């Protein structure tokens, strides 16, 4: 018995906070996959447990920093003053899927952006994007100009600038609140990826979708851990966790959210949602290209004080994403 007791006491529980529903891809695929990687890499010495109901997604950064939980993830757009460089991957017309964008996001962060220390107090173990952000509405539209004045939930980041250019009335709220807000008529629509037609059950309330080619933006997320938790581990286990994170975790998360988009589209179509799959030469797409002119330069100017060669980083990010296989 004493041998078994010593084994049990040697196990470390790594507590992960998740703010999306248990049925969401992040919780059915991303965390379980990484948990298995961690447990295998540490030969069972570190066990990952996911916990729910711990607050607004923007508070996850502080929860991990303060050691309330050991790891989490969040959307950078929820904390706009802190995270600015991460909007690089969100700039319109990247034209790739989430996996390619996520790998580029990680590589460019490591090469250029980490030195700006926007994630101060956290150990960044992954960066990813959701799939292309699309227009999901209660009522149909025939032109982007019809969005002017509509109440649209925006999650922050580049969505804010796009919404401003469209003339929408921006409404802030965490993604899990969108269903209720749309159901109650608080908002007319949301900019969000197709994964949430299924993951957040928006197929029941957002019965009209305009899916632009490549979407409007790619939402930026980070996955992070408490540095003290990592440092308290046996060095071998600390390194084992980092070895199954980084680009490997980033790519897997992006890939999972891509698969979620396919499931979301299928669920929407099965539920009879009016999904307009816009082609590159359609009027919707051309409107959007015109609408977003100058956004690169505006972004570069907005982060001039961060001490990073943003123009080179943005160019390289696009090259990495567009050539990723």
């Amino acid at each position: 018995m004493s041998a078994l007791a010593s084994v049990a006491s040697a196990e470390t529980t790594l507590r992960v906070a998740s703010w999306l529903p248990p049925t969401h891809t992040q919780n059915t695929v991303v965390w379980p996959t990484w948990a298995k990687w961690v447990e295998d890499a540490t030969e069972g010495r570190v066990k990952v447990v996911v916990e729910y109901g711990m607050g607004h997604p923007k508070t996850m950064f502080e929860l991990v920093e303060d050691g309330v939980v050991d790891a989490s993830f969040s959307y950078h757009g929820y904390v706009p003053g802190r995270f600015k460089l991460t909007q690089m991957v969100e700039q319109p017309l990247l034209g790739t899927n989430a996996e390619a964008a996520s790998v580029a996001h990680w590589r460019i962060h490591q090469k250029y952006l980490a030195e700006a220390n926007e994630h101060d107090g956290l150990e960044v173990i992954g960066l990813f994007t959701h799939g292309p952000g699309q227009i999901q509405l209660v009522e149909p539209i025939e032109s982007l100009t019809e969005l002017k004045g509509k109440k649209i939930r925006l999650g922050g980041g580049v969505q804010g600038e796009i919404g401003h250019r469209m003339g929408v009335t921006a409404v802030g709220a965490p993604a899990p609140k969108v269903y209720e807000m749309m159901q109650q008529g608080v908002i007319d629509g949301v900019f969000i990826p197709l994964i949430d037609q299924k993951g957040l059950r928006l197929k029941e309330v957002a019965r009209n979708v305009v899916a632009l080619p490549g979407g409007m933006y790619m939402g930026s997320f980070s996955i992070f851990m408490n540095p003290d938790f990592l440092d308290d581990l046996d060095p071998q286990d600390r390194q084992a966790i980092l070895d199954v994170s980084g680009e490997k975790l980033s790519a897997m998360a992006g890939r999972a959210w891509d698969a979620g988009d396919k499931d979301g589209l299928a669920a929407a179509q099965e539920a009879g949602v009016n999904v307009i799959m816009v082609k590159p030469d359609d009027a919707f797409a051309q409107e959007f290209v015109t609408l977003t002119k100058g956004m690169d330069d505006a972004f570069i100017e907005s982060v001039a004080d961060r001490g990073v060669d943003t123009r080179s980083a943005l160019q390289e990010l696009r090259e990495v994403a567009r050539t990723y296989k």
Side-chain angles (χ1 to χ4, degrees), residues 200-231:
L200 298 179
R201 297 172 30 236
L202 297 188
K203 63 184 179 180
E204 299 171 17
V205 288
R207 301 288 296 170
N208 296 275
V209 174
V210 177
L212 292 159
M216 295 185 293
Y217 64 95
M218 311 288 276
S220 171
F221 295 80
S222 58
I223 304 173
F224 41 86
M225 289 186 67
N226 179 284
D228 293 333
F229 175 88
L230 273 171
D231 289 344

Side-chain angles (χ1 to χ4, degrees), residues 75 97-98 101-102 128-134 159 191-193 195-196 217-221 254 257-258 261:
Y75 186 66
N97 62 15
S102 299
F128 71 96
T129 75
H130 62 48
Q134 305 291 11
Q159 289 180 64
F191 296 168
I192 210 161
I195 189 174
D196 293 315
Y217 64 95
M218 311 288 276
S220 171
F221 295 80
W257 283 61
D258 280 332
D261 276 350

Side-chain angles (χ1 to χ4, degrees), residues 307-320:
V308 171
D309 183 358
T310 313
R311 192 173 294 277
S312 295
L314 178 57
Q315 181 181 345
E316 192 170 326
L317 182 145
R318 286 174 172 158
E319 288 171 2
V320 172

Side-chain angles (χ1 to χ4, degrees), residues 66-278:
D66 295 343
V68 177
V69 289
D70 308 313
S72 188
F73 76 110
S74 196
Y75 186 66
H76 291 117
Y78 287 136
V79 193
R82 180 174 182 179
F83 300 107
K84 292 169 72 175
L85 288 167
T86 51
Q87 290 182 24
M88 182 177 298
V89 78
E90 298 190 351
Q91 295 306 306
L93 309 177
L94 181 61
T96 70
N97 62 15
E99 181 179 354
S102 299
V103 169
H105 198 8
W106 175 260
R107 291 183 189 173
I108 298 310
H109 177 267
Q110 296 304 95
K111 182 173 178 178
Y112 291 95
L113 311 186
E115 64 190 59
N117 212 19
E118 290 187 336
H119 296 83
D120 185 33
L122 300 165
E123 181 83 28
V124 180
I125 61 167
L127 290 159
F128 71 96
T129 75
H130 62 48
Q134 305 291 11
I135 302 166
Q136 306 196 31
L137 303 163
V138 175
E139 301 294 337
I141 57 171
E142 295 182 0
S143 166
L144 297 183
T145 58
E146 292 179 38
L147 290 170
K148 187 172 183 179
K150 286 192 181 293
K151 299 187 294 293
I152 304 293
R153 178 270 180 184
L154 302 178
V158 166
Q159 289 180 64
E161 176 60 20
I162 293 171
H164 173 72
R165 288 174 175 233
M166 289 177 170
V168 308
T169 300
V171 180
K177 292 287 186 185
V178 168
Y179 181 100
E180 179 185 348
M181 294 171 75
M182 202 171 282
Q183 188 180 47
Q184 294 176 351
V186 176
I187 56 175
D188 300 307
V190 60
F191 296 168
I192 210 161
L194 287 172
I195 189 174
D196 293 315
Q197 278 282 309
K198 181 177 180 182
L200 298 179
R201 297 172 30 236
L202 297 188
K203 63 184 179 180
E204 299 171 17
V205 288
R207 301 288 296 170
N208 296 275
V209 174
V210 177
L212 292 159
M216 295 185 293
Y217 64 95
M218 311 288 276
S220 171
F221 295 80
S222 58
I223 304 173
F224 41 86
M225 289 186 67
N226 179 284
D228 293 333
F229 175 88
L230 273 171
D231 289 344
D232 287 344
L233 293 172
D234 181 284
Q236 178 184 351
D237 289 340
R238 180 185 188 279
Q239 191 56 49
I241 290 172
L242 295 178
D243 286 346
V244 296
S245 301
E247 184 171 318
K248 180 177 180 175
L249 172 57
S250 303
M252 182 268 287
R255 192 160 55 246
W257 283 61
D258 280 332
D261 276 350
K262 291 179 182 174
D263 291 344
L265 175 59
Q269 290 171 332
E270 186 179 333
V273 173
N274 172 35
V275 181
I276 300 172
M277 300 300 294
V278 179

Side-chain angles (χ1 to χ4, degrees), residues 22-40:
T23 53
H24 194 282
T25 294
Q26 182 69 21
N27 300 314
T28 61
V29 178
V30 179
W31 288 128
T33 302
W34 184 69
K36 185 174 190 315
W37 290 353
V38 167
E39 290 171 29
D40 287 350

